[in-house]
C-alpha cells in the first residue's frame, strides 16, 4: 500500500495535511485515460469551449484568491504579499491563454509558384500534440502549474501534472477548479508521488507526447536523455543571474530594485539576482547601501503581512546555503548580515568578493544571498558574467546608453533587463534558459506553440 504524502509548513515544519499518494497502478490508469481521451478525435473540445473553461477557472481563482495565497505561504513559504501577487498572476495567466486562442491558428502556404504546384490550395491548421506530462517545482506552486496546465487545456491536450512533493496542495486545488469550471477530469489530472522512479516512469512513458519539466538541471537533462523517440519536451532550470552596475547608476535609485530581485522568495527563483558586478568607482558606497537595505528586510513567518523574506523549502537547503556561505567566507569573502533564524530560515546576507571558484560564484545558490564583485573594465565584467555553463536572464544598471546597449548586446542571456532586476517576468513574454539553463521556450503563448503540431491540408483541382 502506498503511504500518504505528508505536507509540512515550510516555516515551522508543522504538518498541514496527509495526501493520498499514487502508485504504479494509479499512474497506469491515469495515462490510459488521458491517451484514450486524446485518441477520440470526435470528442475533442471545440475552441470556444476551451476558452470558456479557462475564463471560468480565472473567475473561480479570483473568488478564492485569499485561500490560495495562504496555501502558498504555508506549504511553500512564500511571504503572503508575494503569494497574493502569485495568485493574481495566475488569474491573468488563465485569461492570457484564452485570449491567445483568438490568434492561434495556421496560415496559407503559397501554391502555383512552380508548374507542378498549380491548381492547388494549401493551408495549415493547429492540432494538440497529445498527452502532456507536466512536472513542476515548489517555488511557485500555483503559477507554475498554471503555466503548464493552461496552455495544454487551451490547445486541447490532455495533461497530467505532478507537483513538487513539498507543495502539492496548490496544484490539487487548481485542478479541482478546472473540473468545477466544466473540464472533464480525463483532460486534466494530478499525479501525486515522491517516488523518483515512478516519476521517471511517468515522464518517459510511450503515451506521453510532450514533457514539460520545471526543476533542477540534473533531473531535467537526465529525463530528456530517457525520452522515447518522438517525444518532445521543454526544460526550465536555473542559473546564477549576473547584474552589471555601471558607475553612472544612481545607487539610491536602484538598490531597492536589486534587493527585490535578489531576496524575493528568499532567493528561490530561477532568475534571482545572484552575481553583482559593480564598477570600482562606486563599489564601496553600493555595497554599504545594499547591506543596509538587506539588513532592514523583515524576516519570519510567511503568513504575516509584514514578512518580506520567509524560509527555504527544506532544512537541508538551509544547511546547504549556510555551508556554501561558510566556504566563501573561509576563503576570504566579507559577509554582511547572515545567520539563522530557524531550522529553515536564514537571515539574508551579502558576500563581497567571494573567490571565483567558490560554490556561490559558480552554482545557483537558491537562497537569500547575493555576491558582489568589483570591476574596472566592462569587457572583463561581461566575460566573467558569461563564463558559467548556463545562462538565463541578466541585467545592467546604467544611465549611460552606450554602456547599457553594449551590455545588452554582449551578455549571454535570453533576456537582458536594463535598469531592472533579473527576476522581472510577465507571463506572455518568452522565458527561456540557454545552454544548461533549459531547453525550449516558456511563457504561455510560446508553450501553446510547443504543445501544438501544424497540419497542412492541400487541395488539388482548384482552378
Amino acid at each position: 500500500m502506498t503511504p500518504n504524502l505528508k505536507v509540512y509548513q515550510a516555516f515551522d515544519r508543522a504538518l498541514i495535511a496527509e495526501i493520498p499518494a499514487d502508485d504504479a497502478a494509479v499512474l497506469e490508469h491515469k495515462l490510459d485515460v488521458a491517451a484514450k481521451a486524446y485518441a477520440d478525435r470526435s470528442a475533442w473540445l471545440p475552441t470556444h469551449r476551451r476558452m470558456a473553461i479557462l475564463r471560468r477557472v480565472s473567475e473561480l481563482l479570483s473568488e478564492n484568491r485569499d485561500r490560495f495565497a495562504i496555501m502558498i505561504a504555508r506549504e511553500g513559504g512564500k511571504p503572503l504579499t508575494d503569494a497574493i501577487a502569485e495568485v493574481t498572476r495566475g488569474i491573468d495567466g488563465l485569461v492570457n491563454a484564452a485570449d491567445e486562442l483568438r490568434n492561434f491558428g495556421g496560415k496559407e502556404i503559397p501554391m502555383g509558384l512552380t508548374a507542378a504546384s498549380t491548381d492547388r490550395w494549401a493551408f495549415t491548421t493547429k492540432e494538440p500534440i497529445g498527452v502532456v506530462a507536466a512536472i513542476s517545482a515548489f517555488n511557485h506552486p500555483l503559477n507554475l502549474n498554471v503555466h503548464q496546465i493552461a496552455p495544454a487545456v487551451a490547445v486541447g491536450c490532455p495533461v497530467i501534472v505532478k507537483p513538487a512533493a513539498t507543495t502539492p496542495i496548490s496544484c490539487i486545488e487548481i485542478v479541482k477548479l478546472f473540473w468545477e469550471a466544466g473540464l472533464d477530469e480525463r483532460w486534466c489530472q494530478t499525479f501525486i508521488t515522491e517516488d523518483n522512479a515512478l516519476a521517471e516512469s511517468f515522464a518517459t512513458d510511450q503515451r506521453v507526447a510532450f514533457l514539460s519539466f520545471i526543476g533542477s538541471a540534473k533531473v531535467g537533462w537526465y529525463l530528456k536523455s530517457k525520452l522515447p523517440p518522438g517525444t518532445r519536451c521543454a526544460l526550465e532550470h536555473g542559473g546564477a543571474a549576473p547584474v552589471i552596475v555601471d558607475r553612472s547608476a544612481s545607487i539610491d535609485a536602484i538598490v531597492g530594485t536589486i534587493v527585490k530581485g535578489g531576496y524575493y522568495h528568499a532567493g528561490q527563483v530561477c532568475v534571482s539576482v545572484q552575481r553583482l558586478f559593480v564598477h570600482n568607482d562606486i563599489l564601496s558606497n553600493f555595497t554599504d547601501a545594499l547591506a543596509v537595505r538587506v539588513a532592514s528586510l523583515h524576516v519570519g513567518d510567511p503568513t504575516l503581512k509584514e514578512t518580506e523574506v520567509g524560509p527555504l523549502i527544506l532544512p537541508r537547503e538551509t544547511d546547504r546555503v549556510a555551508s556554501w556561505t561558510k566556504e566563501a567566507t573561509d576563503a576570504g569573502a566579507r559577509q554582511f548580515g547572515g545567520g539563522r533564524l530557524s531550522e529553515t530560515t536564514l537571515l539574508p546576507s551579502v558576500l563581497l568578493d567571494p573567490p571565483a571558484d567558490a560554490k556561490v560564484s559558480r552554482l545557483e545558490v537558491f537562497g537569500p544571498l547575493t555576491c558582489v564583485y568589483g570591476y574596472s573594465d566592462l569587457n572583463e565584467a561581461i566575460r566573467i558574467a558569461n563564463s558559467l555553463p548556463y545562462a538565463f536572464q541578466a541585467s545592467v544598471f546604467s544611465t549611460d546608453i552606450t554602456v547599457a546597449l553594449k551590455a545588452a548586446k554582449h551578455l549571454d542571456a535570453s533576456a537582458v533587463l536594463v535598469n531592472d532586476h533579473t527576476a522581472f517576468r510577465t507571463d506572455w513574454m518568452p522565458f527561456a534558459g540557454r545552454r544548461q539553463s533549459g531547453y525550449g521556450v516558456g511563457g504561455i503563448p510560446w508553450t501553446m506553440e510547443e504543445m501544438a503540431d501544424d497540419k497542412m491540408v492541400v487541395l488539388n483541382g482548384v482552378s
Side-chain angles (χ1 to χ4, degrees):
M1 183 176 179
T2 303
N4 286 345
L5 181 66
K6 293 183 178 181
V7 185
Y8 298 92
Q9 290 194 152
F11 179 64
D12 59 10
R13 305 299 294 158
L15 183 66
I16 300 173
E18 291 194 39
I19 296 170
D22 294 327
D23 59 17
V26 172
L27 173 60
E28 171 61 29
H29 172 73
K30 291 183 175 182
L31 285 166
D32 184 61
V33 165
K36 287 178 178 176
Y38 177 75
D40 184 6
R41 292 184 171 230
S42 63
W44 286 2
L45 291 176
T47 303
H48 69 85
R49 182 71 185 128
R50 286 179 266 131
M51 291 176 73
I53 288 169
L54 289 162
R55 293 187 186 282
R56 180 56 184 150
V57 178
S58 179
E59 293 169 358
L60 291 170
L61 184 56
S62 182
E63 293 167 9
N64 288 271
R65 184 194 309 258
D66 292 343
R67 179 171 71 88
F68 271 85
I70 286 291
M71 201 184 305
I72 292 166
R74 292 185 69 198
E75 67 174 349
K78 180 175 288 186
L80 185 59
T81 300
D82 295 325
I84 292 170
E86 179 174 342
V87 182
T88 302
R89 280 182 62 187
I91 292 166
D92 183 68
L94 292 155
V95 175
N96 183 190
D99 285 348
E100 186 65 22
L101 285 171
R102 293 187 177 277
N103 300 297
F104 191 74
K107 62 181 182 180
E108 183 177 355
I109 306 299
M111 290 288 120
L113 305 181
T114 63
S117 65
T118 57
D119 297 333
R120 286 170 175 81
W121 180 26
F123 57 90
T124 61
T125 61
K126 295 285 189 183
E127 287 190 346
I129 190 173
V131 176
V132 171
I135 296 179
S136 201
F138 76 86
N139 54 334
H140 307 291
L142 171 68
N143 210 41
L144 293 181
N145 289 147
V146 169
H147 289 173
Q148 294 170 308
I149 298 171
V153 171
V155 303
C157 292
V159 58
I160 305 173
V161 57
K162 190 199 91 63
T166 49
T167 55
I169 300 174
S170 297
C171 175
I172 291 169
E173 293 300 313
I174 189 64
V175 169
K176 286 180 180 177
L177 292 191
F178 273 92
W179 297 344
E180 185 179 342
L183 184 66
D184 190 291
E185 293 184 19
R186 297 174 301 163
W187 292 92
C188 186
Q189 304 175 82
T190 60
F191 174 50
I192 307 300
T193 187
E194 54 184 345
D195 183 327
N196 291 335
L198 200 56
E200 180 180 337
S201 296
F202 165 58
T204 59
D205 190 274
Q206 293 278 357
R207 288 161 289 191
V208 170
F210 189 88
L211 170 64
S212 172
F213 176 86
I214 304 172
S216 76
K218 179 180 178 181
V219 175
W221 292 114
Y222 171 78
L223 290 177
K224 182 178 183 295
S225 75
K226 297 296 183 180
L227 294 179
T231 303
R232 299 213 306 250
C233 70
L235 310 176
E236 184 181 309
H237 301 146
V243 175
I244 290 177
V245 181
D246 178 45
R247 60 185 166 190
S248 69
S250 168
I251 295 172
D252 291 341
I254 70 173
V255 72
T257 299
I258 289 173
V259 168
K260 182 64 178 178
Y263 300 88
Y264 164 65
H265 198 9
Q268 298 170 114
V269 180
C270 61
V271 286
S272 179
V273 169
Q274 182 172 323
R275 297 177 297 148
L276 288 151
F277 300 93
V278 183
H279 197 283
N280 287 327
D281 286 357
I282 62 168
L283 177 62
S284 178
N285 290 340
F286 175 86
T287 305
D288 289 344
L290 179 65
V292 168
R293 184 65 66 91
V294 168
S296 73
L297 292 170
H298 193 286
V299 186
D301 185 343
T303 64
L304 302 179
K305 291 182 179 179
E306 64 268 23
T307 298
E308 295 172 285
V309 178
L312 299 186
I313 191 64
L314 289 168
R316 68 170 181 261
E317 292 302 309
T318 316
D319 293 340
R320 176 188 57 79
V321 175
S323 71
W324 288 14
T325 303
K326 185 176 185 303
E327 176 201 52
T329 56
D330 286 349
R334 181 182 175 190
Q335 183 176 10
F336 299 83
R340 195 159 183 163
L341 183 68
S342 74
E343 186 181 17
T344 55
T345 309
L346 291 173
L347 295 173
S349 63
V350 177
L351 290 178
L352 177 61
D353 283 330
D357 61 352
K359 290 184 178 69
V360 296
S361 297
R362 295 185 293 106
L363 305 173
E364 182 177 37
V365 172
F366 229 59
L369 168 70
T370 58
C371 302
V372 178
Y373 313 84
Y375 79 89
S376 57
D377 180 71
L378 179 61
N379 293 322
E380 180 64 7
I382 291 171
R383 185 194 68 77
I384 299 171
N386 291 344
S387 64
L388 301 182
Y390 28 76
F392 213 142
Q393 298 200 159
S395 289
V396 56
F397 287 85
S398 178
T399 58
D400 183 334
I401 190 65
T402 302
V403 171
L405 290 179
K406 181 172 184 176
K409 179 178 180 180
H410 291 281
L411 281 168
D412 184 8
S414 58
V416 177
L417 291 301
V418 178
N419 293 326
D420 208 346
H421 62 69
T422 57
F424 173 80
R425 180 185 183 183
T426 68
D427 297 324
W428 58 88
M429 73 187 228
F431 191 69
R434 290 183 173 182
R435 293 190 280 158
Q436 293 183 24
S437 288
Y439 182 82
V441 182
I444 286 171
W446 280 265
T447 300
M448 288 171 62
E449 288 286 347
E450 295 212 332
M451 291 181 178
D453 274 329
D454 288 323
K455 173 183 277 185
M456 187 167 65
V457 179
V458 182
L459 304 179
N460 190 11
V462 180
S463 59

